[in-house]
């Protein structure tokens, strides 16, 4: 036993040797190392283990403590020569993974943020007017951050009053309030916010929690319902152009210093685009008498636009290259994870292999979706035209999606067309769209079945997929086909928010489109319309 005890030391995990009486639902600790002794006080080990024994559940478990620590626990059962009947021997592991988990989350957050910035810049580049594109661009950016709402206040101050115009006012969910109309004519100094406006004009960031606000500033938190605010000055060549604000409505939220710097970088390109819009307005106002100035400023703006487009193109090419390079090792990881054979009693090892396989397939699917979206946006998508009957593609799609429906215990009711005739189009692309629409209906539907119709209407073949889920509000319907947009995103439904954007792009490439009809609380119907012959 002394040798066994010595073998447990020198490990980065807390280890205990347990003997579990399955029939009596009791346990005994035979040995434990020093790390286990220090970590078992971090949580109620006795209650935890009794729970495990009671439920006969010895799977790996992650424990998130209220103080921020993250502990990983696992069991490894083993045979012991001469063990008594009804008793089970197990090696219990506990490890503090707080730093590792937070580092992984931080890296993932930064990658998402960079992708959000790139996507927002692309929207601003493609649209001629920042007033039209800025709401969509900032809404896109918001979904790549942990914040709940975003707004942009354009500085229109004159004289002694500090006044702002609301250009953008977006939120992730209708559960969060928008910035009130009071800010359209708010005098910050007279309303007790002079400390904020002074700092913002001097290029400083306002990062403030409700409990740290001055008494005269509390009215803002009470009216906005925000628990944490982040106001960033938007400047261009020392000119104060406005305020970009982020708000969080849940308590105990913290922005780390390094992440705060990333938020600040966004205000720099905001200043560039806002200034560009102001310049264009000024040029249009004086174009009759200042042709030379217009030409000069237009050339400057063209160079700026070209630089931004080159930067975006380089980023797009880099993303495409990296995505291609990632797919080869990912396929190897996924393939070999299915080939590895472990002993039947190695439950923990098999569980880890399943984590590797499922995580790899999800990442590979996201990479493929990003590549598909890039092909559509760049016009590099090739079509394979052939003649076929639309109901055949519908039935093939049903066969492929049936396992997903069976897993959820859901029925798909198919209604084929009365008239059967060929269409000339890309069968593979149509099937890709139908699989996405059916998959979404199954994921979001909460009824026992979904409806799938195929019919001819006014010379066009029409596929419609109807679910009986929660439905989509009118506000959300306007953005449902945007890239990386996910509604009711509570983390329970997998996906990247690219499926509908890709499907709409494919439909337009085929000369058709996807329409949506939905009533809140009554479900949704997505309708794919394709011409009989693609031009």
């Amino acid at each position: 036993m002394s040798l066994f005890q010595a073998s447990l030391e020198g490990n980065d995990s807390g280890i205990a040797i347990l003997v579990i009486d399955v029939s009596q639902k009791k346990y005994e600790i035979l040995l434990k190392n020093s790390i286990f002794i220090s970590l078992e006080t971090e949580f109620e080990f006795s209650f935890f283990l009794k729970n495990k024994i009671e439920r006969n559940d010895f799977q790996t478990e992650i424990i998130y403590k209220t103080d921020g620590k993250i502990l990983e626990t696992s069991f490894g059962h083993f045979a012991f020569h001469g063990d008594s009947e009804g008793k089970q021997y197990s090696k219990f592991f506990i490890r503090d993974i707080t730093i590792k988990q937070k580092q992984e989350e931080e890296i993932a957050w930064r990658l998402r943020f960079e992708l959000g910035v790139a996507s927002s810049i692309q929207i601003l580049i493609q649209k001629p007017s920042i007033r039209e594109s800025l709401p969509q661009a900032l809404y896109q950016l918001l979904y790549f951050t942990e914040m709940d709402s975003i707004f942009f206040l354009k500085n229109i101050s004159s004289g002694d009053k500090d006044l702002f115009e609301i250009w953008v006012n977006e939120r992730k969910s209708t559960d969060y309030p928008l910035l009130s109309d009071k800010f359209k004519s708010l005098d910050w100094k007279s309303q007790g916010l002079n400390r904020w406006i002074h700092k913002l004009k001097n290029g400083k960031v306002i990062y403030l929690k409700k409990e740290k606000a001055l008494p005269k500033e509390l009215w803002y938190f009470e009216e906005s319902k925000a628990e944490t605010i982040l106001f960033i000055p938007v400047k261009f060549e020392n000119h104060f152009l406005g305020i970009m604000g982020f708000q969080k409505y849940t308590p105990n939220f913290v922005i780390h210093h390094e992440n705060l710097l990333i938020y600040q970088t966004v205000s720099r390109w905001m200043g560039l685009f806002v200034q560009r819009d102001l310049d264009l307005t000024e040029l249009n106002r004086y174009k009759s008498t200042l042709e030379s100035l217009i030409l000069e400023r237009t050339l400057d703006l063209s160079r700026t636009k070209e630089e931004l487009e080159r930067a975006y193109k380089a980023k797009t090419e880099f993303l495409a290259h990296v995505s291609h390079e990632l797919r080869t090792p990912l396929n190897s990881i996924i393939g070999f994870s299915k080939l590895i054979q472990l002993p039947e009693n190695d439950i923990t090892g098999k569980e880890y292999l399943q984590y590797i396989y499922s995580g790899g397939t999800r990442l590979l699917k996201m990479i493929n979706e990003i590549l598909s979206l890039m092909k559509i946006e760049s016009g590099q998508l090739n079509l394979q035209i052939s003649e076929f009957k639309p109901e055949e593609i519908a039935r093939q799609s049903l066969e492929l999606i049936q396992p997903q429906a069976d897993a959820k215990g859901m029925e798909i009711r198919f209604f084929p067309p009365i008239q059967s005739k060929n269409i000339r189009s890309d069968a593979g692309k149509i099937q890709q769209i139908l699989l996405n629409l059916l998959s979404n209906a199954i994921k979001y539907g909460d009824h026992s079945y979904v409806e799938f119709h195929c019919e001819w209407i006014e010379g066009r073949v029409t596929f419609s997929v109807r679910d009986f889920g929660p439905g989509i509000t009118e506000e959300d319907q306007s953005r449902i086909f945007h890239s990386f947009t996910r509604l009711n995103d509570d983390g329970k439904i997998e996906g990247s928010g690219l499926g509908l954007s890709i499907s709409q792009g494919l439909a337009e490439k085929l000369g058709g489109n996807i329409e949506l009809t939905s009533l809140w609380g009554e479900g949704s119907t997505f309708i794919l319309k394709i011409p009989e012959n693609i031009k």
Side-chain angles (χ1 to χ4, degrees):
M1 292 294 270
S2 299
L3 290 173
F4 205 171
Q5 174 72 47
S7 70
L8 300 182
E9 301 296 341
N11 198 299
D12 65 344
S13 299
I15 305 175
I17 306 300
L18 310 174
V19 57
I20 300 171
D21 191 325
V22 179
S23 60
Q24 297 294 324
K25 306 293 184 182
K26 296 181 179 179
Y27 73 93
E28 179 185 355
I29 301 178
L30 299 181
L31 294 172
K32 53 186 175 182
N33 66 3
S34 56
I35 297 179
F36 176 85
I37 294 172
S38 65
L39 288 178
E40 68 176 324
T41 59
E42 295 285 339
F43 71 113
E44 298 180 7
F45 174 71
S46 178
F47 177 78
F48 167 81
L49 190 54
K50 286 179 180 178
N51 238 357
K52 286 283 190 181
I53 297 172
E54 187 68 30
R55 292 183 283 111
N56 195 27
D57 173 19
F58 297 100
Q59 296 186 17
T60 297
E61 186 172 328
I62 305 296
I63 301 173
Y64 292 85
K65 298 181 77 267
T66 55
D67 61 1
K69 280 192 176 182
I70 305 173
L71 304 177
E72 181 184 58
T73 65
S74 60
F75 293 83
H77 297 314
F78 62 91
F80 184 72
H81 181 68
D83 57 349
S84 303
E85 185 177 353
K87 291 186 177 180
Q88 192 173 43
Y89 289 82
S90 183
K91 202 172 187 180
F92 175 76
F93 301 86
I94 181 170
R95 188 158 58 105
D96 188 341
I97 61 170
T98 308
I99 296 176
K100 176 186 175 184
Q101 193 82 358
K102 290 188 180 300
Q103 287 175 342
E104 291 176 352
E105 291 173 357
E106 187 70 18
I107 292 172
W109 180 85
R110 292 191 180 188
L111 289 173
R112 280 175 53 84
F113 194 94
E114 289 179 6
L115 192 58
V117 171
S119 179
S120 301
I121 291 178
Q122 180 189 9
I123 293 171
L124 291 172
I125 290 174
Q126 291 176 342
K127 303 287 185 179
S129 171
I130 191 172
R131 291 298 300 272
E132 297 176 3
S133 59
L134 192 59
Q136 182 183 351
L138 291 191
Y139 178 83
Q140 188 89 332
L141 175 66
L142 175 64
Y143 262 79
F144 286 89
T145 72
E146 65 273 70
M147 307 305 281
D148 296 324
S149 67
I150 189 171
F151 58 81
F152 176 69
L153 304 178
K154 174 66 179 64
N155 180 24
I156 56 170
S157 302
S158 60
D160 295 333
K161 287 191 175 182
D162 295 301
L163 299 175
F164 296 88
E165 182 181 355
I166 301 176
W167 276 22
V168 177
N169 198 7
E170 297 286 350
R171 55 191 170 173
K172 280 184 179 177
S173 168
T174 53
D175 295 335
Y176 307 130
L178 291 169
L179 200 65
S180 70
D181 291 339
K182 183 177 181 179
F183 277 82
K184 293 180 180 178
S185 58
L186 181 71
D187 185 355
W188 289 53
K189 291 181 181 178
S190 65
Q191 293 295 321
L193 304 183
N194 51 308
R195 179 172 74 110
W196 296 3
I197 198 66
H198 177 75
K199 284 188 173 183
L200 290 166
K201 282 184 174 181
N202 285 280
K204 296 181 180 179
V205 172
I206 303 293
Y207 169 42
L208 187 63
K209 294 179 176 293
K210 182 179 179 179
E211 60 267 22
K212 297 291 184 180
L214 298 178
K216 62 181 180 180
E217 299 166 347
L218 284 174
W219 71 265
Y220 176 83
F221 291 92
E222 292 170 356
E223 184 169 312
S224 67
K225 309 301 182 186
E227 293 288 335
T228 303
I229 62 170
L230 175 61
F231 291 176
I232 306 173
V234 175
K235 288 192 165 189
F236 183 80
E237 295 181 352
N238 293 324
H239 293 296
F240 180 53
L241 302 178
I243 302 168
M244 183 164 59
F246 295 89
Q247 297 187 144
K248 190 72 177 178
Y249 298 96
T250 53
N252 303 321
F253 173 72
V254 177
I255 302 178
H256 298 293
H257 178 70
E258 54 271 22
N259 292 346
L260 194 61
L261 295 176
I262 296 176
Y263 277 103
Q264 287 179 265
T265 60
V266 178
S267 68
R268 298 191 181 100
W269 59 257
M270 271 287 294
L272 176 64
F273 281 103
V274 173
Q275 183 62 38
R276 185 186 73 169
D277 186 75
L278 295 175
D279 290 342
L280 287 172
T281 302
E282 181 183 355
L283 290 171
N284 289 332
R285 188 181 300 121
Y286 296 107
K287 65 180 179 180
S288 59
T289 57
L290 301 173
E291 291 295 334
S292 59
L293 178 61
I294 291 175
L295 178 60
E296 179 183 350
R297 297 297 288 181
T298 302
L299 290 174
D300 289 340
L301 290 169
S302 297
R303 283 193 291 268
T304 301
K305 183 174 182 293
E306 289 172 0
E307 289 174 3
L308 288 170
E309 288 174 340
R310 283 196 296 271
Y312 173 72
K313 182 179 178 182
K315 188 175 185 68
T316 302
E317 292 175 351
F318 171 77
L319 184 60
H321 179 73
V322 169
S323 299
H324 281 295
E325 292 297 318
L326 282 174
R327 286 200 295 183
T328 300
L330 264 178
N331 282 320
S332 298
I333 292 171
I334 294 169
F336 282 112
S337 69
K338 300 303 289 183
L339 292 175
I340 294 175
Q341 300 292 323
L342 294 176
E344 288 297 323
N345 61 349
D346 191 355
I347 299 174
T348 302
K350 290 184 176 181
E351 185 177 4
Y352 287 168
L353 280 178
Q354 183 59 34
Y355 287 159
I356 294 171
Y357 177 79
S358 60
T361 52
R362 283 199 300 269
L363 184 55
L364 184 60
K365 180 181 178 183
M366 179 177 288
I367 290 172
N368 289 334
E369 286 179 341
I370 292 174
L371 288 174
S372 297
L373 186 62
M374 290 170 57
K375 285 182 179 179
I376 294 171
E377 292 178 346
S378 62
Q380 298 178 359
L381 189 69
N382 295 322
L383 299 179
Q384 302 293 328
I385 307 301
S386 62
E387 287 193 4
F388 55 93
K389 295 185 183 298
E391 59 268 28
E392 293 177 355
I393 296 301
R395 290 192 175 94
Q396 291 173 15
S397 302
L398 284 173
E399 292 176 2
L400 294 173
I401 205 68
Q402 194 62 49
Q404 183 181 340
D406 292 341
K408 197 173 177 181
M410 188 175 287
E411 177 185 354
I412 302 177
R413 298 182 179 179
F414 177 54
F415 302 84
I418 299 174
Q419 179 185 14
S420 178
K421 61 178 180 178
N422 288 341
I423 66 170
R424 186 173 178 274
S425 190
D426 189 324
K429 301 297 186 297
I430 294 177
Q431 186 176 85
Q432 184 178 346
I433 297 170
L434 294 178
L435 287 174
N436 179 259
L437 297 181
L438 288 167
S439 176
N440 285 345
I442 293 169
K443 285 192 291 187
Y444 290 97
D446 51 16
H447 201 272
S448 61
Y449 67 92
V450 297
E451 293 182 357
F452 182 24
H453 295 259
C454 177
E455 54 190 330
W456 288 90
I457 300 177
E458 298 179 353
R460 307 181 86 187
V461 62
T462 300
F463 302 91
S464 60
V465 178
R466 181 186 181 189
D467 67 64
F468 299 88
I472 302 170
T473 63
E474 289 187 12
E475 181 183 356
D476 289 335
Q477 288 180 38
S478 62
R479 57 187 180 88
I480 188 69
F481 293 101
H482 295 169
S483 302
F484 302 102
T485 296
R486 300 185 64 201
L487 306 181
N488 304 322
D489 190 3
D490 54 5
K492 296 180 181 179
I493 297 178
E494 293 183 0
S496 60
L498 289 172
L500 285 176
S501 177
I502 292 173
S503 297
Q504 185 69 280
L506 292 175
E508 292 173 355
K509 189 74 174 178
L510 296 172
N513 69 306
I514 300 175
E515 297 175 357
L516 166 63
T517 60
S518 180
L519 289 176
W520 180 248
E522 297 184 14
S524 305
T525 302
F526 287 85
I527 305 166
L528 169 64
K529 297 181 177 180
I530 298 294
E532 182 176 352
N533 291 299
I534 189 170
K535 296 181 180 180

